[in-house]
Amino acid sequence: MDEFGLIAALARRLPKPGADVLLGIGDDAAVVRTGGAPFVVTTDTMVEGVHFLETTLTDYNLGYKSLAVSVSDIAAMGGQPKFAVVSIAIPSGWAPERLERVYDGFREVTERFGCHVIGGDVVSTSGPLVITTTVIGEAANPIPRSGARPGDILFVTGRLGGSSAGLQVMQEATSVSDISKACLIERHQRPEPRVAIGSLCATAGVHALNDVSDGLASELNEIAAASGVRCVIDADKLPVLPEVVELARGVQRDPLSYALYGGEDYELVGAASNRAFATLLAGASAMNVPITRIGRVDEGDGVVMRRPDGQMEVLDPKGYNHFKRDDA
Amino acid sequence: MDEFGLIAALARRLPKPGADVLLGIGDDAAVVRTGGAPFVVTTDTMVEGVHFLETTLTDYNLGYKSLAVSVSDIAAMGGQPKFAVVSIAIPSGWAPERLERVYDGFREVTERFGCHVIGGDVVSTSGPLVITTTVIGEAANPIPRSGARPGDILFVTGRLGGSSAGLQVMQEATSVSDISKACLIERHQRPEPRVAIGSLCATAGVHALNDVSDGLASELNEIAAASGVRCVIDADKLPVLPEVVELARGVQRDPLSYALYGGEDYELVGAASNRAFATLLAGASAMNVPITRIGRVDEGDGVVMRRPDGQMEVLDPKGYNHFKRDDA
């Protein structure tokens, strides 16, 4: 099968696009129509051996996750994902069936989040698999990370730390129960882009928003730097996933380290006025997604965390000096 | 330098985007505005060792060419390139300076064709360099490859065969003059996307249009298959670059083989009514780009070429059975 045949075969695995796709896969370029509103564009690349391993991500979930993380970027703008193009460099010897599983993973993202794959490229490589996803979304009121203001409430969606904990339980022997293990692995392989909450944030007038791709400490540092403010969070407010607490206890590590530095949780973290936060809470209650107030925005710079004993700790983006395994 | 720092540093090498970029590099996604017209999206991936070699493409021209080929796809839709996102997986050991040269190549494309890089990703890989470019363009009247009708004129822009000939002179000892060699290498490394002609094609009402990425025979087969027609071309009408003829004579190969099967010339090939073709010719005369009538569209299927002796030859996309080196 040649490349066109392969792409055509793969395209048939995808849901049929709606009327706003004037021309989809199969020509030099895809043609899409918007209503004149701003649209948002994001791109992400995952490399085997760097961002994932064959042993930690199924082909299906590689498709799901690679597209979901770009959808999450759109959610973090308060946008609605609309269109995606995907490019895959596959190692020689990869069977076409494996690529089909990857596209099946795309399909799930398309169906659940309304993001149609309108084009792509499949090429071969002598190296590891490389997958690039580009997503275009509509956003009537895009939310930058630079809009946080002193006095704002800092909040985060969902529960943190699961993704890095999931990676750990796949790679090391741990004492967590099978059911907790499955939960953590799910968090690592199948992040949930918070598209509906992101939209709600845009409607509510949230000032700044990021998705947690690199760990909460890193995202808060980005918001602080881009907004010219200081983020102050409370350690005992951080919503750490219970299964992460279970794992952390077994490996004698601070559970917060997973939330602050683990990354890839793809929850949303933002800054909002009291009024916008109230609107957000009211709207989110119907979605069964917890939203937690974790701190406030002050004048100044950087990110600090208040420990339960009152001690203030500066959080830099990666935290190499702050959290170490107790047994190290 | 971390990834954000690197991307920020690279972004500063690019021209400042216009007012239609509401939010560019540095956030989760870029925000762009269109006037409500359809926009077009295309993506291309180039892999070192598959699509290029360090010895056949400078870093600057890797940037230039990788973005230019996506711009060419937009031109082949009759569109205007507007925005690009680029993703690069770089081998360990690549110096930042090399990446800067790649971005300098992007910059040239941005400046010459109005295509602003609004986002991207830079990651590391244990394998060869992989670069993915995605371009979004406006197109009020996008031209598919499926619109050719019996009776249409087939035409091509520019002169063909130079790119594959350029690759050959870089890899083999040949008898071409230094000045011809430089011309051919230029054709290989620095293809010229035909954006203005593509726009003219849209205005003139050209029925079908492709860019020559895979060789003329392949592109005509795509037009024939997508349109449900037969393409008939005349061998003695094909505009082969004179330097290609010079090379072909020396290596005892049919000059047409470079034009038909060499690929990567990035000229435009299309089908138009007599009236649209006349409009196109009149408009193109001011641009100093030759436009050559190479044949006609018939009822039927496939692609055939009439040799000067009247013999008809079926051209399949790759032509492996048709053209061989005489000395092979």
Side-chain angles (χ1 to χ4, degrees), chain A residues 4 22-23 26-48 50-51 73-74 76-77 83 85-89 118-121 123-128 130 132 134 136 139 142-146 209-211 214 218-219 222, chain B residues 4 22-23 26-48 50-51 73-74 76-77 83 85-89 118-121 123-128 130 132 134 136 139 142-146 209-211 214 218-219 222:
Chain A
F4 284 134
L22 304 181
L23 190 59
D27 217 298
D28 296 302
V31 182
V32 296
R33 191 189 294 281
T34 60
F39 58 97
V40 284
V41 186
T42 185
T43 194
D44 291 282
T45 296
M46 289 173 64
V47 179
E48 186 187 335
V50 177
H51 302 92
D73 276 328
I74 300 293
M77 302 302 295
F83 312 107
V85 293
V86 293
S87 165
I88 312 180
I118 58 169
D121 205 357
V123 300
S124 63
T125 176
S126 63
V130 179
T132 296
T134 302
I136 300 170
I143 310 170
R145 63 175 56 124
S146 60
L209 199 62
N210 256 10
D211 66 330
D214 292 327
S218 175
E219 307 305 336
E222 284 182 14
Chain B
F4 283 134
L22 303 181
L23 191 57
D27 216 299
D28 296 302
V31 182
V32 297
R33 191 188 293 283
T34 60
F39 58 94
V40 286
V41 186
T42 185
T43 193
D44 291 281
T45 296
M46 289 173 65
V47 179
E48 186 187 333
V50 177
H51 302 92
D73 277 328
I74 300 293
M77 302 303 294
F83 312 108
V85 292
V86 294
S87 164
I88 312 181
I118 58 169
D121 205 358
V123 299
S124 64
T125 176
S126 63
V130 179
T132 296
T134 302
I136 300 171
I143 310 171
R145 63 176 55 126
S146 59
L209 198 63
N210 257 10
D211 66 331
D214 292 326
S218 176
E219 306 305 335
E222 284 182 14

Side-chain angles (χ1 to χ4, degrees), chain B residues 145-207:
Chain B
R145 63 176 55 126
S146 59
R149 305 173 198 173
D152 277 354
I153 288 168
L154 290 171
F155 66 88
V156 70
T157 65
R159 307 273 180 231
L160 299 171
S163 178
S164 55
L167 187 59
Q168 188 179 5
V169 300
M170 281 188 283
Q171 297 187 302
E172 299 174 20
T174 61
S175 61
V176 295
S177 66
D178 283 352
I179 192 166
S180 295
K181 196 169 171 177
C183 162
L184 294 171
I185 292 172
E186 175 94 358
R187 293 292 174 128
H188 179 74
Q189 295 199 335
R190 299 177 45 75
E192 184 76 16
R194 297 299 191 187
V195 175
I197 300 278
S199 260
L200 194 56
C201 287
T203 310
V206 163
H207 288 152

Side-chain angles (χ1 to χ4, degrees), chain A residues 6 11 20 51 113 143 150 164 171 173 184 189 237 243 321:
Chain A
L6 180 59
D20 47 5
H51 302 92
F113 301 102
I143 310 170
S164 56
Q171 297 187 302
L184 294 172
Q189 296 198 334
K237 298 280 174 58
E243 290 80 359
N321 300 319

